[in-house]
Every structure is written in structure tokens, then in C-alpha cells.
Amino acid sequence: MTITSEGQETSTAESAEPALSVRNLWKIFGPRADKVIGTPDAELSRADLKTKTGNVVGVKDVSFDVAPGEVFVVMGLSGSGKSTLVRLLTRLIEPTAGTICLNGMDVTSASEKQLRDVRRKQVSMVFQHFGLLPHRQVIDNVAYGLEVRGVPKKERREKAAEIVDLVGLTGYEKSYPDQLSGGMQQRVGLARALAGDPEMLLFDEPFSALDPLIRRDMQNEVIRLHSELGKTMVFITHDLSEALKLGDRIMILRDGAIVQIGTPDEVVARPADDYVKDFVSEVPKSHVLTLKWVMRDPRPGESLEGPALPVTTIVRQAARAAIASDHPIRVMDGDKLLGVVDEDDIMRVVVAEVES
Amino acid sequence: MTEGVAGPGLRARGFVESQKLANPDSPRPVEPGAAPPPPERKTLSRWIPALGVIVAWVVVWYLTDGKDTLSLPGVARTALHDDLTEINNDLLAGRDTNPVMLFTGALADALRSLVEMMQGIFSKPNLPRPVPEIGWLGVTACSTYVALVVANWRIALLVLASFLSFGVLGFWEQSLDLLIITGISVVIAVVVGMPLAVLVGTSARANRAITVVLDVMQTMPTFVYLLPVVLFFGIGIPSAVVATLIYALPPIVRIAGFGIREVPTTTIEATDSAGQTYWQRLLKVQIPMARKTIIVGLNQTILAALSMATLASFVDGPGLGKPVLAGLRINDVGTAFVPGALIVVMAVMLDRTTTAASERAEKVARGGGGDPRTRRILLIGGAVVTIVAVYVSRTYVDLARFPENTLGSRIADVVNDVMDWITGTFSGATGAFKDAITNGLLNPMESVLAESPWYVSGLGIAALALVFGGLRAMITTIICLAGIWYFDLWHDAMITLNMALVGTVLVMILALVFGVWMARDRRVDLGIRPLLDAGQTIPPFVYLIPVLALFGPSRFTAIVAGIVYAAPAAIKLVADGVKAVSPTTIEAGRSTGQTTWQEITKVQLPMAKGSLVLATNQGLLYVLAMVVIGGLVGAGALGYDVVYGFSRSEAWGKGLAAGITIVLLGVMLDRITRAAADKRRDDPGPRRAFFVRLPIGPPK
Ligand SMILES: Nc1ncnc2c1ncn2[C@@H]1O[C@H](COP(=O)(O)OP(=O)(O)O)[C@@H](O)[C@H]1O
Ligand SMILES: [Mg+2]
């Protein structure tokens, strides 16, 4: 997960059928929501539309694909429509327009029964405020998804116990949610989502309510679970460092509309507009950018004796090699030489960061 | 009588609204880029125009005293009243042909046979048996055993003692009859009420519609529907059950509905996202999470049923209310005292048992509940004892019919002596108090309200409604006043309104003093709160007994009973409101070096304004309800008109007109005070839960 290579990324996205495919998705809250789309009103800014018609745009004409096994992060300030978007995916909120396909199945036109099946077997969700059932023990909270499917008690408890172990809550099966700390409660939330063995997990700012240290633990937990279980994930956050840490790709929303979709290094290196630039200005670039963004063509006569590093190497990791070597580093994609990077190029990134 | 115990029903609304006040929805943050919010109207200055209106009114009254007051002598009727009586007579004449009357008649027969069957089992000779199927020993044993099963041994002892006291004091049959009426009404109320509560809790539209109906039901003093209930169901058992049912329904619908609605959206979403069905959501998430609140609602419904079943003696319903009513009618405190005390015993017993049962259920659900083996032995042993008791109570007459004794009548005599002594000794003090309030507050205000020309009073009230409640409250007020005028009882209405206002002023003084004191001192709170809780548990009918003994039959007695009845709720609301002021705010204030007095008047009371207004609202409706019962003990005005309408068939129409007038007064006072509550805090605001349309609806 962390930073996947660009090449690998595009290849999966192109070859396999996407796990999730969203096209022209709209959600407008308000009295005559469906009358807005397709009219000139739809082009108005959110504030203007609100004053003019009383409708609030939650999600505005959003399209994207998520590849199987990918971690897709949706980011934006509070109120930018992230929660609305993630709820639209399983129709916890009804879309106003657009289509959503899960593994080729059209969710938007699914019957209630099909929709329940999707929620039971294919997609699970983890929520910011946990949403646990206070009157049930941890084990029964975790088993809830199995229970609503009609799995017999003994079987679902066995399965739940396994998952409780997996998320590191062994020994707390019989506790009640209010006896656990916030971080542990969210582990229960995670376990509940995993218990049904879904193909896809949706996270709505799952760690925003937690202390920074606990948050870091939980992020690592997600990384671990992703590498062990390989599930597709859609992860909502308003925290850029979390997005950069977890995301294979990041989608940035503003007022319900997409501003940019790209890999973490793309977003940092080439922000689509000032809004995104503002977001990423505080990011230590050397920790995110890969050599792809700093390399250049070799100057005539420049030495090509230096060490070879793959193009996906992060700048910070290349720094030591660049300083140790007298020759510029060769940036390679497999056997192909893409360009070179010398000490100065790297210093420019690091210094720019210190100055900003 | 009549009366309106607006009691536990209203209390249900108080509960719901004070919970809302405790967590007001934070105002939505302003959208980025939107205009700044308009500056809010300042509200404190309302008192200045209000004072202006009152001064002008007093001046006009002084010039016009006694003109156009529309006063109608106590036994006089108008053509409108006779027309209403005519409607009643026509309906009664069509009893055997009118389909509605036939239907209610059949329902009445069914209810009557159900109650009579239960009476045959528990309380009355089940002919040809000379005694009930189960004698007193068996009934007592069964009840104690049930208490042991659902609660604990302490509650079982309480139940045992209560049942024994019913018998020892000589009111076994009436006590059991009261329990039967209460029990049947509660069961029907739950069966009808829970589905309604689910609707209230899950659909914004149903919530709005049902709340409007409940609001009207709860501002309506009971006898207003007692008249039509008697018309459709006939005097006696069926009317008692139906009236009790109507009265007991709102608390469970309101409070349980509130509990279901307050289940956090996150939890609903989280469990919906697991793919649950409508029924799974309801039964596994919403109802379990709302369980505590639902039980509060059930408890309130039981107490409401008990208090209404007591009052139903007015329409000849069986039970302990009958001897109380008989005592009140002849102003014999001793006779009313013992059955009144037993009503209190029953109320405490039912209240404690439901509370303890819910606590136990909570504990068991969380894996507590004591050693299961000891408990099993206890339960089996208890069951054996109970079965033996039931068996022997069917066999031996002495164990079936409670042995007669004279303890009850001896207590009545002692009470009469004590009362004579008290009234003899303190009549100076109580008389002085009564005169002070009567001459200092009651009479002057009554002169202005009732002795001004009707159009002046109407204008004055409408102007005050505008000042305190705004335009919409004024429009409602004008409609209500027009209705009052139409029903030809303007003068009586003003007198009753005055009693309610005076009572409420006194209630609010008590509420402010004790509420602030309780909020600022935990020990005071711990000491007083149980008394207030007990006061709220007792059926209001019972209050009349001691107050009547102290002050004799008069307007003042009704007002004092109203104060006693309303004060606990108002004090609690103020105390909780002041307590809810955030400690940070108080600390911040203290850090500026304010005095205690400044802290109370500048921080705590203004911030608790929502609770103060709610307390006023509840106070007004409670006092109004009680001063209307006062018609039974010489308070006159509308209450008397209703009582008179009940006792004379030719005055039925006047009674009905008085009942409707009382409702209009109640609605008017309710609307004004609610509108006066700070809009921003009172308005529940858009609740996100209701705008998210959950895609899985009820089964089609
Ligand atoms: N049920 C609703 N009714 C009306 N407006 C809503 C509703 N839910 C969300 N919104 C509005 O939609 C916008 C996006 O909200 P949300 O998706 O919760 O944002 P985020 O999760 O990014 O903070 C906000 O402006 C919010 O006010
Ligand atoms: Mg959100």
C-alpha cells in the first residue's frame, strides 16, 4: 500500500474490471432536488444554489473507478460531501442521479433485497463515531452482520471470535462498548465490518475522533489488514497525512465536486489548483515525492556512472545515495534509463520545504 | 369533577421537552461564503411593553368597572347551551339505530364483561360462589411472587405490605377494582401505544401529526372528554376504562417515541450498512437502545392510568376513588383520608415496582443479577408457597374474604379529630394566609380581568400574547378568545383564568427559589428531590383532601391544590435547567469576580431561560387543570359549570360549553408560553435523521 509504483497502478486499473465504478453521481438535498440537474442552476456555486432554490449540493457530478485491492482515499474539508459520497455507494442515502456499479452490478437500480445482499456480503462500512450497539457485548456487536444474515448463533460467534483476535481485541469479547477506550471501540467497528468477509470496506473518517498516537496505531492496523486480506478500500479522511500514508490514489473533493484524482506524489507534485496547493503546502515533499518528479534529462557530457535507483524511490530515501556518490543517480524503470538526479536537485526539494 | 389532571400526560411532554432542552441541537454552521446571520431580536425588553399594556388596561377598567362583563349566573343557561343539550338528547335517543352508537355500545359491553370477569376472579363474589375465585391470601401471594420475579425481595415486601394494608384498612374490594381498571387500561394503552410510538420515532411526518393530537389531548382537562365518553359508552365501568385509556395513552406514545427517535443516526446507519431489514432494525437496534426511555414511558402510563381510574369514580367507575369522592362531597376529610392514603400506597407500589423491574432487567442484561442458584431456589420455593396460598384461599372463607375489622373507621375518626385540632389551632394562621393572598392578589387581579368589559379584557390578553409570544401566538389567542366568547361563558372563563394565573405566579416563585437552591447545592437536591418525585407520583385527586381540610371549600383551596400539584414539576425543571448551565461558563464568570447574586441573575437564570419558560408552561396547565377540579370544592366558575352539567341533564350543554372553554383557555396559555420560549432553543431544528431517507421502508 503506501506508495505503489505508478506503472503497477495503471496496469491494474486498466486490466481488471473495476471493483467500483461511479459515473456522473449527484446528490442534492432539498425540496425539488431532481429538478436542478440538467438546468443552468446546476452550474451555480453551492452557496448561490442554496439561496436561489433552497437546495444543498452534497455531491456534484462525480465519476471515478476503484480497482480491486486498491486503497482509494477521498479527501476534502469538512462539508465537502465526503460522507454523503460514501453513503451513496451503498445507498444509505439515495442518489439524485448517476450510476454506481459494484463488481459490474448496478447498485442504483438494485431492488431492496439485492441492496440488502450487497450490504450483507459485498460492502461493509466503518464509521467515525463507531455506531456500536451499547446493549451488546463486543462479540455480539462484531457478529451483528452475520446475525442479520441469519447465521446460527454458534457459528457466528466462532467467526466473530476469530475476527476479534485478528483486530487485537482478544480477551475483550464479553465487554460492553462503553467499557472500552475510543481506539478499542473503533477496533470493534473494524471487526464488525470484517466479520462478514466483504469484498470492499468503506471508511468514513474512522480515526478522526481518536488521539494522534492511537490514530497512528489504527492507521498501521489498516495497513496491516490490507496487506493480509487484500480488500478493496474506500477511505474518507480530511487529514492529508493520513491520505498520503494510506492511499494508492487520492481524490480531492471541494463543495461536492472532484478537484483532482491522482497518486499521492502526483497530488503533491502537481496540485490541480490553489485549493489543493494550499492543502499540500505543509507536506514534507521529500517524504512523498518520488524521483519521477525531480529527475531531469542528463546534461550533455554528464557522467552516467552513478548508482541506479528505481523511479518509484522516494526522494528522501535517495538523498543518502546522492550525497555519497560523486556521480548523479540514474533513475531507472526496469532496464530503461529515464533520467538522472543529482545532489542539487534533491537539495532543491528539501530546501523549498524548509522555507515554506 | 372533573378535572383535569393534566398530570402524568403533561409530565410526558415535560419530559420530552426538557430532554430536548438538555441537548439543544447546535445551530448549523454557516456555509462558507454565506451572508452573516441576521442579528437576533433582543428579548428581555418584553417586560416594558407588557407593563404598558397592563397599566392601560387597569386605567380602562377603573373607568368602566362592571360594564359588559357578560356575567352569567351560576344556574342560568343560554340558548346555545340548550342547543348543545338537544344534540346530546338526540344522540341518546338514537342509541339503538345510530351505527356509531351501536358500535360503541358493543365495545362497552365487551369491556364490561372483561372487567366483570376479572372482578369475579379477584375482587367480587363470583356467583354462585360466595367469594371471588381467588381469595385475598392467594392474590396477595401471587402479587408478591410477581414482584419477587420481576424485581427483588425488597419490592416483594413492599407489595406484600401494600396488599395487606388494602385489606386491613377495609378497602380490599375497592383496591382490587382500581387495580383491575388500571391494569386493563394499561395493557390496552401499551398495545395501541407502542405501534404509535414506533411511528413517532421513525417518521417525521407521523411525529408531527401525532404530536399535534397529543398536545391537544394533554392541554385538555379530563372531564372535557369524560362528557362525550359517557355519552358514547354509558355511565360505569366501560366509561371508566375508556377514559383511563385515553388519558394513559399519551405518555407511552410520547416518551417511547422520543426514545426511539433519539437513537443516534450513526448507529442506525452503521447497522443499516450491515444489510438489516426494517424489522431487524426495529427489534434489534431501535427498541433495545430506547428501552430505558420506553420504560420511563410505561411507568408514566401506569401512574396516569391510576390517577384517571381514581377520577373515573365521577362517572361511577369502581374503585378507591368512590369513597374519596363521597368524602369530598360531604366535606368529610376522615372518610376520604383512608382510601386516599391507599391510593398513595398503590401509586408508590406501582412506581417502585416498575422502576426496580427495569433496573433489574438492565442488570440481568449486562450479566449481573446475583447468584443464579440461590435465585432458582428462591423462585421455586416462592412458587410452591404461592400455589398453596391460592389453593387454601379457595377453600377457607376467612382466607378468601378479608376478615372485617374496625381499624379503618377508627383511623378515620382519629384523622377527623386531628384535623379538627389542626384547623382549630391554626385557623388563625391559615385564615390570615388565605386572606392575604385573596385580598392582595386574587381579588384585585380578578377585578381587572373579569370586571372589565369583555372587549377590553380580550384586547388586553391579545396584546400581551403579542408582546410575549409574537404574531402567531396572538392569532391563536384571538381565535381561542373568540371561541370562549361564542360559548357564552366569558365571565366564568376570566375568573378561572385568573385563578390559574395567580397559582402559576406562586408556583414560579417556589420553582425559582427551590430550583436555584437545588441546582447550587447538591445536598439540598438530594434531600428535596425524593419528595418531589413522590409528589408527582400521587394522583392529584388526593391532594384535595388535606388542602380542603386546611382551607375549607373556596377558590383558594383549588389554587393551593393546584400549586401543590404543579410545584414539583416546575421546581425540577428549573433545577435541571440551572444545573445544565455548563460549568465552564460559570467558571469563566467567576474568574471575573462576580458575586453569587450576579452569578445567579446574570449567568444561570438567563442561560436556563428555556427551562424557566417550559416550567411556566407546565405550571399554567397543571394549575388550570387543578383549579377546574376545584369546582367540586367550591371554587366556582368553569369547574362548577362542568360539575353542574354532569349533575343536571338539562344543563348538559352548559357543562360541555364549559369543558370546551377550558380547553380553549389551555390551548391559549400553552401557545403563548411556548412561543415565548426562545425560538432558537425551543425549535428542534432540522434533524438530519429525518432527511436521510432510509431506503428500506416498512414492509409493503
Ligand atoms: N441530510 C442532509 N440534508 C441537508 N443537507 C445535508 C444533509 N446531509 C449533508 N448535507 C449537506 O451536504 C454537505 C456535505 O455534507 P457531508 O457529506 O457530511 O460533508 P463531509 O463529510 O465532507 O464533512 C454539507 O454542506 C451538509 O450541510
Ligand atoms: Mg463527514
Side-chain angles (χ1 to χ4, degrees):
Chain A
M1 128 152 3
T2 44
I3 312 294
T4 353
S5 90
E6 170 93 334
Q8 186 188 333
E9 218 302 307
T10 34
S11 71
T12 50
E14 273 163 16
S15 64
E17 180 185 12
L20 170 69
S21 167
V22 173
R23 288 291 170 274
N24 307 102
L25 188 63
W26 285 80
K27 175 66 196 182
I28 299 181
F29 295 104
R32 274 175 305 281
D34 43 340
K35 298 281 188 311
V36 175
I37 298 162
T39 67
D41 282 355
E43 303 304 318
L44 290 176
S45 81
R46 181 191 259 186
D48 291 342
L49 183 73
K50 176 140 192 232
T51 25
K52 185 165 171 202
T53 66
N55 290 326
V56 179
V57 180
V59 167
K60 185 171 182 176
D61 202 12
V62 165
S63 307
F64 63 90
D65 286 327
V66 179
E70 185 180 7
V71 178
F72 187 79
V73 172
V74 180
M75 215 191 77
L77 297 178
S78 138
S80 57
K82 309 179 296 292
S83 299
T84 308
L85 175 63
V86 78
R87 281 165 179 71
L88 288 171
L89 299 182
T90 56
R91 277 174 53 196
L92 285 173
I93 298 178
E94 286 292 338
T96 314
T99 54
I100 300 157
C101 282
L102 269 167
N103 293 323
M105 176 204 171
D106 184 1
V107 175
T108 20
S109 64
S111 69
E112 277 181 10
K113 185 161 179 319
Q114 288 170 318
L115 191 57
R116 265 202 306 271
D117 266 4
V118 166
R119 293 181 189 170
R120 287 178 179 184
K121 309 213 170 107
Q122 294 192 33
V123 186
S124 295
M125 212 169 150
V126 181
F127 292 81
Q128 177 175 7
H129 297 293
F130 323 138
L132 301 179
L133 295 169
H135 56 285
R136 287 170 171 242
Q137 295 172 351
V138 165
I139 186 99
D140 290 326
N141 262 294
V142 173
Y144 190 77
L146 299 169
E147 183 177 337
V148 299
R149 281 189 210 178
V151 177
K153 183 156 185 170
K154 186 155 170 293
E155 201 177 312
R156 67 176 189 246
R157 283 212 161 184
E158 274 166 15
K159 174 76 187 164
E162 261 172 50
I163 303 288
V164 166
D165 291 345
L166 180 69
V167 299
L169 281 176
T170 317
Y172 289 96
E173 292 87 350
K174 297 247 176 295
S175 308
Y176 285 86
D178 57 10
Q179 298 167 324
L180 304 182
S181 69
M184 286 159 88
Q185 289 190 35
Q186 195 54 296
R187 281 174 198 263
V188 179
L190 199 55
R192 176 176 61 188
L194 289 171
D197 199 20
E199 288 146 33
M200 183 183 297
L201 290 169
L202 308 179
F203 296 82
D204 184 11
E205 304 203 22
F207 310 140
S208 304
L210 305 179
D211 294 337
L213 287 181
I214 315 259
R215 193 182 312 162
R216 202 184 59 197
D217 282 352
M218 293 300 292
Q219 287 163 356
N220 293 335
E221 189 77 19
V222 167
I223 293 172
R224 178 177 73 85
L225 289 170
H226 183 254
S227 63
E228 278 178 26
L229 308 171
K231 308 222 180 266
T232 314
M233 296 182 176
V234 174
F235 195 103
I236 310 287
T237 179
H238 66 247
D239 173 3
L240 183 67
S241 64
E242 189 167 82
L244 295 172
K245 182 168 175 185
L246 299 178
D248 291 328
R249 280 190 304 152
I250 299 175
M251 173 165 96
I252 297 175
L253 284 184
R254 178 190 192 179
D255 286 355
I258 298 179
V259 183
Q260 185 171 12
I261 302 185
T263 56
D265 49 336
E266 271 170 353
V267 170
V268 173
R270 266 198 228 133
D273 64 5
D274 288 349
Y275 178 76
V276 184
K277 197 182 269 172
D278 234 24
F279 251 122
V280 299
S281 61
E282 298 284 309
V283 177
K285 299 208 170 39
S286 59
H287 293 211
V288 180
L289 294 188
T290 57
L291 294 182
K292 177 182 170 203
W293 303 100
V294 288
M295 70 185 184
R296 55 181 168 75
D297 291 336
R299 294 189 192 102
E302 199 167 17
S303 150
L304 291 177
E305 315 279 280
L309 285 176
V311 69
T312 54
T313 314
I314 291 174
V315 170
R316 194 169 60 123
Q317 290 164 351
R320 175 155 302 155
I323 293 166
S325 154
D326 293 336
H327 307 283
I329 292 173
R330 286 177 298 144
V331 180
M332 311 292 289
D333 180 17
D335 289 338
K336 204 170 132 234
L337 177 70
L338 295 180
V340 294
V341 172
D342 66 15
E343 209 177 317
D344 284 348
D345 301 320
I346 287 178
M347 282 314 286
R348 220 171 292 134
V349 177
V350 175
V351 170
E353 219 161 78
V354 172
E355 282 172 353
S356 67
Chain B
M1 107 194 62
T2 44
E3 109 44 320
V5 232
L10 258 191
R11 209 179 303 153
R13 199 177 79 197
F15 174 88
V16 169
E17 307 227 337
S18 61
Q19 299 288 310
K20 265 192 225 153
L21 282 175
N23 346 287
D25 284 34
S26 48
R28 268 171 184 280
V30 181
E31 297 275 329
E40 284 184 26
R41 185 166 58 100
K42 266 201 78 91
T43 45
L44 259 181
S45 57
R46 279 174 191 166
W47 289 102
I48 294 164
L51 209 65
V53 171
I54 292 170
V55 169
W57 188 350
V58 170
V59 170
V60 176
W61 159 74
Y62 190 75
L63 300 173
T64 57
D65 187 14
K67 244 199 275 171
D68 294 339
T69 58
L70 301 187
S71 110
L72 187 70
V75 294
R77 303 190 302 273
T78 67
L80 176 80
H81 299 158
D82 288 338
D83 288 348
L84 290 172
T85 310
E86 215 34 54
I87 295 175
N88 177 43
N89 293 342
D90 288 350
L91 274 172
L92 283 179
R95 182 174 281 168
D96 298 324
T97 48
N98 182 332
V100 177
M101 295 292 275
L102 282 173
F103 172 73
T104 54
L107 209 57
D109 289 341
L111 288 174
R112 186 190 307 277
S113 33
L114 179 62
V115 171
E116 279 173 354
M117 187 189 84
M118 302 286 278
Q119 284 179 323
I121 298 175
F122 296 116
S123 70
K124 282 208 164 70
N126 191 28
L127 301 173
R129 273 174 71 88
V131 288
E133 289 295 328
I134 305 179
W136 68 266
L137 185 68
V139 174
T140 307
C142 287
S143 312
T144 310
Y145 184 64
V146 169
L148 186 69
V149 173
V150 301
N152 53 49
W153 62 269
R154 257 179 261 117
I155 296 296
L157 280 185
L158 173 72
V159 170
L160 176 67
S162 307
F163 274 79
L164 289 180
S165 70
F166 300 154
V168 171
L169 295 176
F171 287 95
W172 178 261
E173 187 185 319
Q174 289 93 330
S175 304
L176 268 279
D177 283 349
L178 181 57
L179 275 177
I180 289 169
I181 301 278
T182 308
I184 289 177
S185 307
V186 167
V187 170
I188 305 177
V190 170
V191 170
V192 178
M194 272 313 287
L196 288 176
V198 168
L199 273 182
V200 165
T202 52
S203 144
R205 200 175 306 158
N207 178 33
R208 248 173 283 133
I210 295 175
T211 303
V212 169
V213 177
L214 295 184
D215 276 353
V216 175
M217 274 169 88
Q218 294 187 349
T219 32
M220 184 182 326
T222 33
F223 55 80
V224 175
Y225 54 81
L226 226 40
L227 280 165
V229 164
V230 170
L231 173 58
F232 287 103
F233 292 88
I235 207 110
I237 291 174
S239 280
V241 175
V242 172
T244 306
L245 171 64
I246 295 175
Y247 188 61
L249 199 55
I252 185 114
V253 177
R254 240 181 221 283
I255 300 180
F258 175 78
I260 293 172
R261 193 166 64 240
E262 292 295 291
V263 172
T265 331
T266 329
T267 314
I268 304 263
E269 273 186 331
T271 46
D272 270 355
S273 79
Q276 63 193 350
T277 62
Y278 172 85
W279 288 107
Q280 285 172 330
R281 177 165 71 213
L282 187 62
L283 298 177
K284 290 174 191 280
V285 181
Q286 290 171 315
I287 290 186
M289 285 186 71
R291 213 189 66 209
K292 261 196 192 147
T293 321
I294 293 175
I295 290 183
V296 173
L298 178 67
N299 173 288
Q300 295 288 295
T301 280
I302 292 175
L303 294 177
L306 180 67
S307 80
M308 188 63 210
T310 313
L311 281 162
S313 59
F314 192 69
V315 294
D316 206 26
L320 281 172
K322 271 191 172 170
V324 174
L325 186 63
L328 287 180
R329 279 205 160 126
I330 55 170
N331 197 5
D332 177 354
V333 175
T335 311
F337 179 82
V338 173
L342 288 180
I343 293 172
V344 175
V345 167
M346 201 179 285
V348 171
M349 173 185 90
L350 291 174
D351 180 42
R352 295 279 81 220
T353 310
T354 41
T355 313
S358 86
E359 278 162 10
R360 183 182 153 72
E362 200 77 12
K363 244 198 271 167
V364 172
R366 302 204 62 156
D371 175 22
R373 246 185 54 143
T374 341
R375 187 163 165 80
R376 199 170 322 131
I377 294 170
L378 199 67
L379 290 189
I380 292 173
V384 172
V385 173
T386 306
I387 290 167
V388 171
V390 170
Y391 178 76
V392 295
S393 80
R394 287 174 58 84
T395 320
Y396 300 98
V397 171
D398 261 358
L399 300 178
R401 196 170 3 190
F402 216 95
E404 301 225 349
N405 67 68
T406 55
L407 187 60
S409 57
R410 269 182 291 148
I411 291 181
D413 291 341
V414 171
V415 168
N416 269 338
D417 291 347
V418 171
M419 269 311 176
D420 285 346
W421 178 79
I422 290 179
T423 37
T425 316
F426 296 107
S427 64
T430 54
F433 179 56
K434 178 171 156 182
D435 291 344
I437 298 283
T438 306
N439 297 327
L441 203 55
L442 201 50
N443 286 344
M445 275 178 68
E446 184 172 303
S447 304
V448 176
L449 262 172
E451 301 306 325
S452 298
W454 66 271
Y455 37 85
V456 174
S457 302
L459 205 65
I461 295 170
L464 289 176
L466 178 66
V467 170
F468 286 109
L471 195 62
R472 279 178 66 175
M474 185 183 76
I475 292 170
T476 319
T477 302
I478 290 175
I479 294 170
C480 289
L481 289 173
I484 293 172
W485 174 83
Y486 175 77
F487 282 103
D488 287 340
L489 290 168
W490 181 273
H491 190 251
D492 283 357
M494 290 303 119
I495 295 176
T496 298
L497 174 62
N498 179 51
M499 289 194 275
L501 291 177
V502 169
T504 306
V505 168
L506 298 175
V507 165
M508 284 314 289
I509 292 173
L510 286 177
L512 281 177
V513 171
F514 283 96
V516 171
W517 195 23
M518 278 168 70
R520 295 181 60 88
D521 190 337
R522 232 179 80 78
R523 275 168 310 164
V524 176
D525 193 325
L526 287 179
I528 296 182
R529 197 170 284 265
L531 290 179
L532 300 179
D533 289 341
Q536 285 193 292
T537 313
I538 298 170
F541 199 24
V542 177
Y543 291 132
L544 275 181
I545 303 170
V547 180
L548 180 64
L550 283 177
F551 298 107
S554 70
R555 257 183 322 176
F556 188 71
T557 300
I559 292 177
V560 173
I563 294 170
V564 175
Y565 177 42
I571 293 174
K572 277 210 259 183
L573 279 170
V574 172
D576 293 344
V578 173
K579 230 189 292 179
V581 175
S582 104
T584 329
T585 315
I586 294 188
E587 257 186 351
R590 273 187 198 157
S591 74
T592 65
Q594 65 194 359
T595 63
T596 303
W597 178 250
Q598 283 170 328
E599 184 173 308
I600 295 174
T601 55
K602 292 195 192 300
V603 180
Q604 289 183 315
L605 289 183
M607 288 189 71
K609 205 166 85 189
S611 311
L612 296 190
V613 179
L614 181 58
T616 314
N617 170 292
Q618 302 273 289
L620 272 170
L621 296 178
Y622 275 53
V623 177
L624 175 67
M626 202 69 186
V627 297
V628 168
I629 322 186
L632 201 65
V633 292
L638 292 178
Y640 173 79
D641 296 335
V642 177
V643 176
Y644 181 64
F646 252 112
S647 59
R648 296 290 183 84
S649 60
E650 75 273 13
W652 195 90
K654 187 177 183 187
L656 183 68
I660 297 172
T661 305
I662 293 162
V663 176
L664 292 171
L665 274 182
V667 170
M668 181 179 94
L669 294 172
D670 183 44
R671 289 293 135 183
I672 298 174
T673 39
R674 276 176 183 241
D678 190 347
K679 267 276 168 334
R680 217 159 41 107
R681 300 203 66 197
D682 198 37
D683 187 359
R687 278 180 187 277
R688 186 174 168 148
F690 285 144
F691 291 99
V692 181
R693 197 183 82 76
L694 300 164
I696 301 169
K700 283 164 195 142

